Amino acid sequence: MQYRMLAAKIHRARVTEANLNYVGSITIDQELLDATGLLPYEMVQITNLSNGELWQTYIIPGPPHGGDICLNGPPARLFHPGDLVIILGFRLYDASELLSHQPTVVFVDENNHITEVVREETPFRTNP
């Protein structure tokens, strides 16, 4: 059996752009992707702390060190520059992987530059 679990999170990033005329996706600074281990074209969930909206789309990498967080296509109507968001990446794990699984949490400043990377949350300790 496989379990869909949080793999990585970018916590309280600031939306830098919303581009309605793009096909879709979210552009994320490559430096943030490297810190989380999230990959281009991987599915993520974005939660808007400003209005409670939730969106799911895939990642496209942005230039490193620029702090880009851009919602492209339809979510540009729901996410606006300046909104704070949480970006969540989920992956499938089998039961044996759960014992050592620890999600990566990346904290950022107001310019989406990394302030801290945490991988120390308590591992999952129950028998599924």
mmCIF file with all atom_site columns, all heavy atoms in Angstrom, residues 47-66:
data_model
loop_
_atom_site.group_PDB
_atom_site.id
_atom_site.type_symbol
_atom_site.label_atom_id
_atom_site.label_alt_id
_atom_site.label_comp_id
_atom_site.label_asym_id
_atom_site.label_entity_id
_atom_site.label_seq_id
_atom_site.pdbx_PDB_ins_code
_atom_site.Cartn_x
_atom_site.Cartn_y
_atom_site.Cartn_z
_atom_site.occupancy
_atom_site.B_iso_or_equiv
_atom_site.pdbx_formal_charge
_atom_site.auth_seq_id
_atom_site.auth_comp_id
_atom_site.auth_asym_id
_atom_site.auth_atom_id
_atom_site.pdbx_PDB_model_num
ATOM 1   N N   . THR A 1 47 ? -1.831  27.097 -1.033  1.00 0.00 ? 47 THR A N   1
ATOM 2   C CA  . THR A 1 47 ? -2.868  27.638 -0.167  1.00 0.00 ? 47 THR A CA  1
ATOM 3   C C   . THR A 1 47 ? -2.610  29.130 0.002   1.00 0.00 ? 47 THR A C   1
ATOM 4   O O   . THR A 1 47 ? -1.496  29.530 0.353   1.00 0.00 ? 47 THR A O   1
ATOM 5   C CB  . THR A 1 47 ? -2.823  26.955 1.213   1.00 0.00 ? 47 THR A CB  1
ATOM 6   O OG1 . THR A 1 47 ? -2.956  25.558 1.025   1.00 0.00 ? 47 THR A OG1 1
ATOM 7   C CG2 . THR A 1 47 ? -3.933  27.450 2.102   1.00 0.00 ? 47 THR A CG2 1
ATOM 8   N N   . ASN A 1 48 ? -3.627  29.940 -0.253  1.00 0.00 ? 48 ASN A N   1
ATOM 9   C CA  . ASN A 1 48 ? -3.507  31.390 -0.145  1.00 0.00 ? 48 ASN A CA  1
ATOM 10  C C   . ASN A 1 48 ? -3.926  31.817 1.255   1.00 0.00 ? 48 ASN A C   1
ATOM 11  O O   . ASN A 1 48 ? -5.097  31.687 1.624   1.00 0.00 ? 48 ASN A O   1
ATOM 12  C CB  . ASN A 1 48 ? -4.376  32.063 -1.211  1.00 0.00 ? 48 ASN A CB  1
ATOM 13  C CG  . ASN A 1 48 ? -4.141  33.547 -1.313  1.00 0.00 ? 48 ASN A CG  1
ATOM 14  O OD1 . ASN A 1 48 ? -3.791  34.198 -0.332  1.00 0.00 ? 48 ASN A OD1 1
ATOM 15  N ND2 . ASN A 1 48 ? -4.333  34.086 -2.492  1.00 0.00 ? 48 ASN A ND2 1
ATOM 16  N N   . LEU A 1 49 ? -2.970  32.317 2.043   1.00 0.00 ? 49 LEU A N   1
ATOM 17  C CA  . LEU A 1 49 ? -3.277  32.756 3.404   1.00 0.00 ? 49 LEU A CA  1
ATOM 18  C C   . LEU A 1 49 ? -4.108  34.031 3.426   1.00 0.00 ? 49 LEU A C   1
ATOM 19  O O   . LEU A 1 49 ? -4.746  34.336 4.432   1.00 0.00 ? 49 LEU A O   1
ATOM 20  C CB  . LEU A 1 49 ? -1.984  32.968 4.188   1.00 0.00 ? 49 LEU A CB  1
ATOM 21  C CG  . LEU A 1 49 ? -1.167  31.707 4.445   1.00 0.00 ? 49 LEU A CG  1
ATOM 22  C CD1 . LEU A 1 49 ? 0.180   32.064 5.049   1.00 0.00 ? 49 LEU A CD1 1
ATOM 23  C CD2 . LEU A 1 49 ? -1.917  30.746 5.324   1.00 0.00 ? 49 LEU A CD2 1
ATOM 24  N N   . SER A 1 50 ? -4.118  34.763 2.324   1.00 0.00 ? 50 SER A N   1
ATOM 25  C CA  . SER A 1 50 ? -4.847  36.027 2.272   1.00 0.00 ? 50 SER A CA  1
ATOM 26  C C   . SER A 1 50 ? -6.345  35.836 2.098   1.00 0.00 ? 50 SER A C   1
ATOM 27  O O   . SER A 1 50 ? -7.134  36.647 2.570   1.00 0.00 ? 50 SER A O   1
ATOM 28  C CB  . SER A 1 50 ? -4.306  36.899 1.135   1.00 0.00 ? 50 SER A CB  1
ATOM 29  O OG  . SER A 1 50 ? -2.930  37.144 1.336   1.00 0.00 ? 50 SER A OG  1
ATOM 30  N N   . ASN A 1 51 ? -6.754  34.757 1.399   1.00 0.00 ? 51 ASN A N   1
ATOM 31  C CA  . ASN A 1 51 ? -8.185  34.583 1.125   1.00 0.00 ? 51 ASN A CA  1
ATOM 32  C C   . ASN A 1 51 ? -8.678  33.143 1.270   1.00 0.00 ? 51 ASN A C   1
ATOM 33  O O   . ASN A 1 51 ? -9.842  32.869 1.004   1.00 0.00 ? 51 ASN A O   1
ATOM 34  C CB  . ASN A 1 51 ? -8.538  35.116 -0.267  1.00 0.00 ? 51 ASN A CB  1
ATOM 35  C CG  . ASN A 1 51 ? -7.806  34.390 -1.377  1.00 0.00 ? 51 ASN A CG  1
ATOM 36  O OD1 . ASN A 1 51 ? -7.334  33.275 -1.213  1.00 0.00 ? 51 ASN A OD1 1
ATOM 37  N ND2 . ASN A 1 51 ? -7.708  35.035 -2.532  1.00 0.00 ? 51 ASN A ND2 1
ATOM 38  N N   . GLY A 1 52 ? -7.816  32.220 1.638   1.00 0.00 ? 52 GLY A N   1
ATOM 39  C CA  . GLY A 1 52 ? -8.232  30.843 1.854   1.00 0.00 ? 52 GLY A CA  1
ATOM 40  C C   . GLY A 1 52 ? -8.329  29.981 0.613   1.00 0.00 ? 52 GLY A C   1
ATOM 41  O O   . GLY A 1 52 ? -8.679  28.806 0.695   1.00 0.00 ? 52 GLY A O   1
ATOM 42  N N   . GLU A 1 53 ? -8.016  30.535 -0.548  1.00 0.00 ? 53 GLU A N   1
ATOM 43  C CA  . GLU A 1 53 ? -8.089  29.751 -1.786  1.00 0.00 ? 53 GLU A CA  1
ATOM 44  C C   . GLU A 1 53 ? -7.065  28.629 -1.779  1.00 0.00 ? 53 GLU A C   1
ATOM 45  O O   . GLU A 1 53 ? -5.995  28.746 -1.192  1.00 0.00 ? 53 GLU A O   1
ATOM 46  C CB  . GLU A 1 53 ? -7.848  30.639 -3.008  1.00 0.00 ? 53 GLU A CB  1
ATOM 47  C CG  . GLU A 1 53 ? -8.963  31.605 -3.307  1.00 0.00 ? 53 GLU A CG  1
ATOM 48  C CD  . GLU A 1 53 ? -10.241 30.948 -3.836  1.00 0.00 ? 53 GLU A CD  1
ATOM 49  O OE1 . GLU A 1 53 ? -10.205 29.770 -4.250  1.00 0.00 ? 53 GLU A OE1 1
ATOM 50  O OE2 . GLU A 1 53 ? -11.272 31.627 -3.830  1.00 0.00 ? 53 GLU A OE2 1
ATOM 51  N N   . LEU A 1 54 ? -7.404  27.557 -2.463  1.00 0.00 ? 54 LEU A N   1
ATOM 52  C CA  . LEU A 1 54 ? -6.543  26.400 -2.605  1.00 0.00 ? 54 LEU A CA  1
ATOM 53  C C   . LEU A 1 54 ? -6.477  26.053 -4.082  1.00 0.00 ? 54 LEU A C   1
ATOM 54  O O   . LEU A 1 54 ? -7.504  26.020 -4.764  1.00 0.00 ? 54 LEU A O   1
ATOM 55  C CB  . LEU A 1 54 ? -7.131  25.231 -1.815  1.00 0.00 ? 54 LEU A CB  1
ATOM 56  C CG  . LEU A 1 54 ? -6.409  23.909 -1.893  1.00 0.00 ? 54 LEU A CG  1
ATOM 57  C CD1 . LEU A 1 54 ? -5.124  23.980 -1.087  1.00 0.00 ? 54 LEU A CD1 1
ATOM 58  C CD2 . LEU A 1 54 ? -7.298  22.803 -1.360  1.00 0.00 ? 54 LEU A CD2 1
ATOM 59  N N   . TRP A 1 55 ? -5.270  25.818 -4.588  1.00 0.00 ? 55 TRP A N   1
ATOM 60  C CA  . TRP A 1 55 ? -5.093  25.509 -6.010  1.00 0.00 ? 55 TRP A CA  1
ATOM 61  C C   . TRP A 1 55 ? -4.058  24.415 -6.148  1.00 0.00 ? 55 TRP A C   1
ATOM 62  O O   . TRP A 1 55 ? -3.128  24.334 -5.346  1.00 0.00 ? 55 TRP A O   1
ATOM 63  C CB  . TRP A 1 55 ? -4.637  26.755 -6.771  1.00 0.00 ? 55 TRP A CB  1
ATOM 64  C CG  . TRP A 1 55 ? -4.786  26.602 -8.249  1.00 0.00 ? 55 TRP A CG  1
ATOM 65  C CD1 . TRP A 1 55 ? -3.827  26.199 -9.136  1.00 0.00 ? 55 TRP A CD1 1
ATOM 66  C CD2 . TRP A 1 55 ? -5.954  26.834 -9.011  1.00 0.00 ? 55 TRP A CD2 1
ATOM 67  N NE1 . TRP A 1 55 ? -4.332  26.171 -10.409 1.00 0.00 ? 55 TRP A NE1 1
ATOM 68  C CE2 . TRP A 1 55 ? -5.645  26.552 -10.361 1.00 0.00 ? 55 TRP A CE2 1
ATOM 69  C CE3 . TRP A 1 55 ? -7.247  27.254 -8.696  1.00 0.00 ? 55 TRP A CE3 1
ATOM 70  C CZ2 . TRP A 1 55 ? -6.573  26.681 -11.386 1.00 0.00 ? 55 TRP A CZ2 1
ATOM 71  C CZ3 . TRP A 1 55 ? -8.168  27.385 -9.723  1.00 0.00 ? 55 TRP A CZ3 1
ATOM 72  C CH2 . TRP A 1 55 ? -7.830  27.104 -11.039 1.00 0.00 ? 55 TRP A CH2 1
ATOM 73  N N   . GLN A 1 56 ? -4.231  23.587 -7.163  1.00 0.00 ? 56 GLN A N   1
ATOM 74  C CA  . GLN A 1 56 ? -3.268  22.538 -7.455  1.00 0.00 ? 56 GLN A CA  1
ATOM 75  C C   . GLN A 1 56 ? -2.781  22.728 -8.878  1.00 0.00 ? 56 GLN A C   1
ATOM 76  O O   . GLN A 1 56 ? -3.577  22.948 -9.790  1.00 0.00 ? 56 GLN A O   1
ATOM 77  C CB  . GLN A 1 56 ? -3.970  21.182 -7.335  1.00 0.00 ? 56 GLN A CB  1
ATOM 78  C CG  . GLN A 1 56 ? -3.158  20.156 -6.636  1.00 0.00 ? 56 GLN A CG  1
ATOM 79  C CD  . GLN A 1 56 ? -3.915  18.867 -6.474  1.00 0.00 ? 56 GLN A CD  1
ATOM 80  O OE1 . GLN A 1 56 ? -4.242  18.534 -5.362  1.00 0.00 ? 56 GLN A OE1 1
ATOM 81  N NE2 . GLN A 1 56 ? -4.168  18.156 -7.526  1.00 0.00 ? 56 GLN A NE2 1
ATOM 82  N N   . THR A 1 57 ? -1.468  22.672 -9.072  1.00 0.00 ? 57 THR A N   1
ATOM 83  C CA  . THR A 1 57 ? -0.899  22.812 -10.400 1.00 0.00 ? 57 THR A CA  1
ATOM 84  C C   . THR A 1 57 ? 0.506   22.218 -10.392 1.00 0.00 ? 57 THR A C   1
ATOM 85  O O   . THR A 1 57 ? 0.935   21.654 -9.401  1.00 0.00 ? 57 THR A O   1
ATOM 86  C CB  . THR A 1 57 ? -0.895  24.289 -10.859 1.00 0.00 ? 57 THR A CB  1
ATOM 87  O OG1 . THR A 1 57 ? -0.570  24.352 -12.251 1.00 0.00 ? 57 THR A OG1 1
ATOM 88  C CG2 . THR A 1 57 ? 0.056   25.140 -10.045 1.00 0.00 ? 57 THR A CG2 1
ATOM 89  N N   . TYR A 1 58 ? 1.213   22.376 -11.491 1.00 0.00 ? 58 TYR A N   1
ATOM 90  C CA  . TYR A 1 58 ? 2.564   21.838 -11.590 1.00 0.00 ? 58 TYR A CA  1
ATOM 91  C C   . TYR A 1 58 ? 3.580   22.977 -11.569 1.00 0.00 ? 58 TYR A C   1
ATOM 92  O O   . TYR A 1 58 ? 3.277   24.129 -11.856 1.00 0.00 ? 58 TYR A O   1
ATOM 93  C CB  . TYR A 1 58 ? 2.732   20.989 -12.855 1.00 0.00 ? 58 TYR A CB  1
ATOM 94  C CG  . TYR A 1 58 ? 2.558   21.773 -14.133 1.00 0.00 ? 58 TYR A CG  1
ATOM 95  C CD1 . TYR A 1 58 ? 3.666   22.305 -14.790 1.00 0.00 ? 58 TYR A CD1 1
ATOM 96  C CD2 . TYR A 1 58 ? 1.302   21.999 -14.678 1.00 0.00 ? 58 TYR A CD2 1
ATOM 97  C CE1 . TYR A 1 58 ? 3.515   23.039 -15.956 1.00 0.00 ? 58 TYR A CE1 1
ATOM 98  C CE2 . TYR A 1 58 ? 1.147   22.728 -15.838 1.00 0.00 ? 58 TYR A CE2 1
ATOM 99  C CZ  . TYR A 1 58 ? 2.250   23.243 -16.480 1.00 0.00 ? 58 TYR A CZ  1
ATOM 100 O OH  . TYR A 1 58 ? 2.094   23.978 -17.626 1.00 0.00 ? 58 TYR A OH  1
ATOM 101 N N   . ILE A 1 59 ? 4.820   22.615 -11.232 1.00 0.00 ? 59 ILE A N   1
ATOM 102 C CA  . ILE A 1 59 ? 5.907   23.578 -11.072 1.00 0.00 ? 59 ILE A CA  1
ATOM 103 C C   . ILE A 1 59 ? 6.628   23.805 -12.392 1.00 0.00 ? 59 ILE A C   1
ATOM 104 O O   . ILE A 1 59 ? 6.909   22.858 -13.121 1.00 0.00 ? 59 ILE A O   1
ATOM 105 C CB  . ILE A 1 59 ? 6.947   23.042 -10.060 1.00 0.00 ? 59 ILE A CB  1
ATOM 106 C CG1 . ILE A 1 59 ? 6.328   22.866 -8.687  1.00 0.00 ? 59 ILE A CG1 1
ATOM 107 C CG2 . ILE A 1 59 ? 8.184   23.942 -10.007 1.00 0.00 ? 59 ILE A CG2 1
ATOM 108 C CD1 . ILE A 1 59 ? 7.212   22.058 -7.736  1.00 0.00 ? 59 ILE A CD1 1
ATOM 109 N N   . ILE A 1 60 ? 6.982   25.067 -12.654 1.00 0.00 ? 60 ILE A N   1
ATOM 110 C CA  . ILE A 1 60 ? 8.015   25.377 -13.642 1.00 0.00 ? 60 ILE A CA  1
ATOM 111 C C   . ILE A 1 60 ? 9.081   26.181 -12.907 1.00 0.00 ? 60 ILE A C   1
ATOM 112 O O   . ILE A 1 60 ? 8.770   27.006 -12.047 1.00 0.00 ? 60 ILE A O   1
ATOM 113 C CB  . ILE A 1 60 ? 7.496   26.095 -14.904 1.00 0.00 ? 60 ILE A CB  1
ATOM 114 C CG1 . ILE A 1 60 ? 6.786   27.387 -14.572 1.00 0.00 ? 60 ILE A CG1 1
ATOM 115 C CG2 . ILE A 1 60 ? 6.601   25.189 -15.720 1.00 0.00 ? 60 ILE A CG2 1
ATOM 116 C CD1 . ILE A 1 60 ? 6.404   28.188 -15.805 1.00 0.00 ? 60 ILE A CD1 1
ATOM 117 N N   . PRO A 1 61 ? 10.361  25.889 -13.177 1.00 0.00 ? 61 PRO A N   1
ATOM 118 C CA  . PRO A 1 61 ? 11.421  26.567 -12.434 1.00 0.00 ? 61 PRO A CA  1
ATOM 119 C C   . PRO A 1 61 ? 11.639  27.991 -12.914 1.00 0.00 ? 61 PRO A C   1
ATOM 120 O O   . PRO A 1 61 ? 11.575  28.269 -14.110 1.00 0.00 ? 61 PRO A O   1
ATOM 121 C CB  . PRO A 1 61 ? 12.653  25.699 -12.714 1.00 0.00 ? 61 PRO A CB  1
ATOM 122 C CG  . PRO A 1 61 ? 12.367  25.045 -14.022 1.00 0.00 ? 61 PRO A CG  1
ATOM 123 C CD  . PRO A 1 61 ? 10.876  24.866 -14.092 1.00 0.00 ? 61 PRO A CD  1
ATOM 124 N N   . GLY A 1 62 ? 11.878  28.884 -11.960 1.00 0.00 ? 62 GLY A N   1
ATOM 125 C CA  . GLY A 1 62 ? 12.255  30.254 -12.274 1.00 0.00 ? 62 GLY A CA  1
ATOM 126 C C   . GLY A 1 62 ? 13.738  30.444 -12.027 1.00 0.00 ? 62 GLY A C   1
ATOM 127 O O   . GLY A 1 62 ? 14.397  29.581 -11.442 1.00 0.00 ? 62 GLY A O   1
ATOM 128 N N   . PRO A 1 63 ? 14.286  31.562 -12.457 1.00 0.00 ? 63 PRO A N   1
ATOM 129 C CA  . PRO A 1 63 ? 15.711  31.817 -12.238 1.00 0.00 ? 63 PRO A CA  1
ATOM 130 C C   . PRO A 1 63 ? 16.050  31.757 -10.744 1.00 0.00 ? 63 PRO A C   1
ATOM 131 O O   . PRO A 1 63 ? 15.262  32.197 -9.908  1.00 0.00 ? 63 PRO A O   1
ATOM 132 C CB  . PRO A 1 63 ? 15.917  33.237 -12.775 1.00 0.00 ? 63 PRO A CB  1
ATOM 133 C CG  . PRO A 1 63 ? 14.742  33.503 -13.653 1.00 0.00 ? 63 PRO A CG  1
ATOM 134 C CD  . PRO A 1 63 ? 13.615  32.667 -13.134 1.00 0.00 ? 63 PRO A CD  1
ATOM 135 N N   . PRO A 1 64 ? 17.215  31.226 -10.403 1.00 0.00 ? 64 PRO A N   1
ATOM 136 C CA  . PRO A 1 64 ? 17.595  31.157 -8.986  1.00 0.00 ? 64 PRO A CA  1
ATOM 137 C C   . PRO A 1 64 ? 17.870  32.541 -8.406  1.00 0.00 ? 64 PRO A C   1
ATOM 138 O O   . PRO A 1 64 ? 18.295  33.442 -9.109  1.00 0.00 ? 64 PRO A O   1
ATOM 139 C CB  . PRO A 1 64 ? 18.868  30.304 -8.991  1.00 0.00 ? 64 PRO A CB  1
ATOM 140 C CG  . PRO A 1 64 ? 19.408  30.416 -10.370 1.00 0.00 ? 64 PRO A CG  1
ATOM 141 C CD  . PRO A 1 64 ? 18.229  30.650 -11.279 1.00 0.00 ? 64 PRO A CD  1
ATOM 142 N N   . HIS A 1 65 ? 17.582  32.670 -7.135  1.00 0.00 ? 65 HIS A N   1
ATOM 143 C CA  . HIS A 1 65 ? 17.891  33.861 -6.329  1.00 0.00 ? 65 HIS A CA  1
ATOM 144 C C   . HIS A 1 65 ? 17.009  35.069 -6.649  1.00 0.00 ? 65 HIS A C   1
ATOM 145 O O   . HIS A 1 65 ? 17.244  36.139 -6.112  1.00 0.00 ? 65 HIS A O   1
ATOM 146 C CB  . HIS A 1 65 ? 19.368  34.251 -6.440  1.00 0.00 ? 65 HIS A CB  1
ATOM 147 C CG  . HIS A 1 65 ? 20.305  33.101 -6.294  1.00 0.00 ? 65 HIS A CG  1
ATOM 148 N ND1 . HIS A 1 65 ? 20.441  32.390 -5.120  1.00 0.00 ? 65 HIS A ND1 1
ATOM 149 C CD2 . HIS A 1 65 ? 21.127  32.503 -7.190  1.00 0.00 ? 65 HIS A CD2 1
ATOM 150 C CE1 . HIS A 1 65 ? 21.312  31.424 -5.292  1.00 0.00 ? 65 HIS A CE1 1
ATOM 151 N NE2 . HIS A 1 65 ? 21.749  31.462 -6.538  1.00 0.00 ? 65 HIS A NE2 1
ATOM 152 N N   . GLY A 1 66 ? 16.004  34.910 -7.504  1.00 0.00 ? 66 GLY A N   1
ATOM 153 C CA  . GLY A 1 66 ? 15.123  36.030 -7.833  1.00 0.00 ? 66 GLY A CA  1
ATOM 154 C C   . GLY A 1 66 ? 13.897  36.116 -6.949  1.00 0.00 ? 66 GLY A C   1
ATOM 155 O O   . GLY A 1 66 ? 13.204  37.124 -6.928  1.00 0.00 ? 66 GLY A O   1
#
